[in-house]
Amino acid sequence: MRINQLLNYLNREVLIIGGTLLAALAVNGFLLPHKLLSGGISGVSIILQQLTGFPAGLSVFLLNVPIFILGYKKIDRDFVIFSLMGMGLFSAFLLLTKNISRSIVLDDTMLAAIFGGVINGIGLGLVFRSRASMGGSDILAVVIRKKSSINMGTILFAFNFVIVLSGSLLFGLKPALFTLISMYLSAVLLDRVQEGFDRKKSALIITSEPEKISQAIMQEVHRGVTIFFGEGAFTHHNRHILYTVVTTRQLAKLKAIVESLDPGAFMTVSDTAEVLGKGFHRTAL
């Protein structure tokens, strides 16, 4: 048990290190040289660096202190501890990579916005997938997500929109528009990485062969099945309703089973972003 726990912690630490490094590279390598903004506290830090010359890495650390004090009261201890690690690493990597732009010669602002947004989104997604954050607005977003179940990317994009408006007053409208492109890509990649590219499918099957189909799903697809009892509104005949969740790769097999065992079955399939339970990975947050 302790070995598994140790491996879990190690895996989370690796994801946090990789994610914060990617986010720092995106900021210093693509966003900052073109006067584009990152999200949350790092975006505010970029504005401060442009105005005062104060290093963004130090700003990230200082601005996060009061936010972590507030977050400690609202979020579980495990999340806060790993988020402290994420915030510290992100600040350190920002300082270590502040001259990386000299090695990345990119004259096209659109390409900088695209690659900066994609790399930053992947980095954020890895950190969130490890059930941590990089502090700042990330912590506020987690609190809102726990209460509303809104996607992290959507919450952060809304926060960052205010930062973009502030940045447009300093850098002009054109950089602000490029920043919106970068932030949108970052939000999309964040959600994809956090939830996983292999999205799940939930299926409802109304059938007259519930035993055969449920046994086939459990034996051939290796997924659990829940049986509900319903009644047709028009015929008033009793009906069995099967509910199961499968991966996208297993969906074709599920359809083949239903069609072969009960050609007259009625089946609906829906996208499922989060699944908690045996056989599925734990969601990040």
Side-chain angles (χ1 to χ4, degrees), residues 53-108:
F54 192 78
L58 290 178
S59 297
V60 168
F61 179 80
L62 294 175
L63 291 173
N64 267 295
V65 172
I67 294 176
F68 268 98
I69 293 174
L70 177 64
Y72 187 80
K73 301 177 181 179
K74 300 290 184 180
I75 307 172
D76 61 89
R77 180 182 176 184
D78 180 80
F79 175 81
V80 171
I81 290 174
F82 278 94
S83 293
L84 278 169
M85 176 184 174
M87 182 268 289
L89 285 170
F90 183 54
S91 300
F93 284 138
L94 281 175
L95 293 172
L96 291 172
T97 62
K98 64 180 181 179
N99 296 321
I100 193 68
S101 60
R102 298 175 183 176
S103 303
I104 303 176
V105 182
L106 195 62
D107 297 327
D108 193 323

Side-chain angles (χ1 to χ4, degrees), residues 14-188:
V14 170
L15 289 177
I16 293 171
I17 293 171
T20 51
L21 177 59
L22 286 176
L25 290 173
V27 171
N28 285 330
F30 297 95
L31 303 181
L32 191 57
H34 293 268
K35 298 185 184 299
L36 303 179
L37 297 177
S38 178
I41 292 299
S42 59
V44 175
S45 299
I46 290 174
I47 293 177
L48 291 176
Q49 179 169 311
Q50 292 291 339
L51 290 176
T52 67
F54 192 78
L58 290 178
S59 297
V60 168
F61 179 80
L62 294 175
L63 291 173
N64 267 295
V65 172
I67 294 176
F68 268 98
I69 293 174
L70 177 64
Y72 187 80
K73 301 177 181 179
K74 300 290 184 180
I75 307 172
D76 61 89
R77 180 182 176 184
D78 180 80
F79 175 81
V80 171
I81 290 174
F82 278 94
S83 293
L84 278 169
M85 176 184 174
M87 182 268 289
L89 285 170
F90 183 54
S91 300
F93 284 138
L94 281 175
L95 293 172
L96 291 172
T97 62
K98 64 180 181 179
N99 296 321
I100 193 68
S101 60
R102 298 175 183 176
S103 303
I104 303 176
V105 182
L106 195 62
D107 297 327
D108 193 323
T109 304
M110 176 62 81
L111 286 178
I114 292 173
F115 281 96
V118 168
I119 295 173
N120 191 45
I122 294 174
L124 288 170
L126 291 175
V127 174
F128 285 132
R129 195 171 179 84
S130 70
R131 301 191 297 284
S133 75
M134 293 188 292
S137 59
D138 299 348
I139 291 180
L140 300 177
V142 170
V143 174
I144 295 175
R145 176 179 169 80
K146 286 181 176 293
K147 294 181 178 295
S148 64
S149 295
I150 301 174
N151 286 344
M152 291 293 297
T154 302
I155 299 171
L156 290 174
F157 186 80
F159 282 157
N160 295 336
F161 187 77
V162 177
I163 298 175
V164 173
L165 290 179
S166 302
S168 66
L169 299 176
L170 296 173
F171 309 133
L173 181 60
K174 188 175 181 179
L177 294 177
F178 281 124
T179 296
L180 283 176
I181 294 173
S182 176
M183 287 183 173
Y184 174 76
L185 292 172
S186 180
V188 171

Side-chain angles (χ1 to χ4, degrees), residues 205 209-227 242-246 250 253-254 257-258 261:
I205 307 163
E209 298 289 348
E211 290 299 327
K212 291 182 180 180
I213 292 178
S214 61
Q215 287 297 321
I217 293 173
M218 289 187 288
Q219 293 175 6
E220 298 180 35
V221 186
H222 306 292
R223 290 299 177 196
V225 182
T226 298
I227 301 177
L242 308 182
Y243 176 76
T244 188
V245 177
V246 298
Q250 295 170 330
K253 181 65 175 178
L254 175 64
I257 289 173
V258 174
L261 296 178

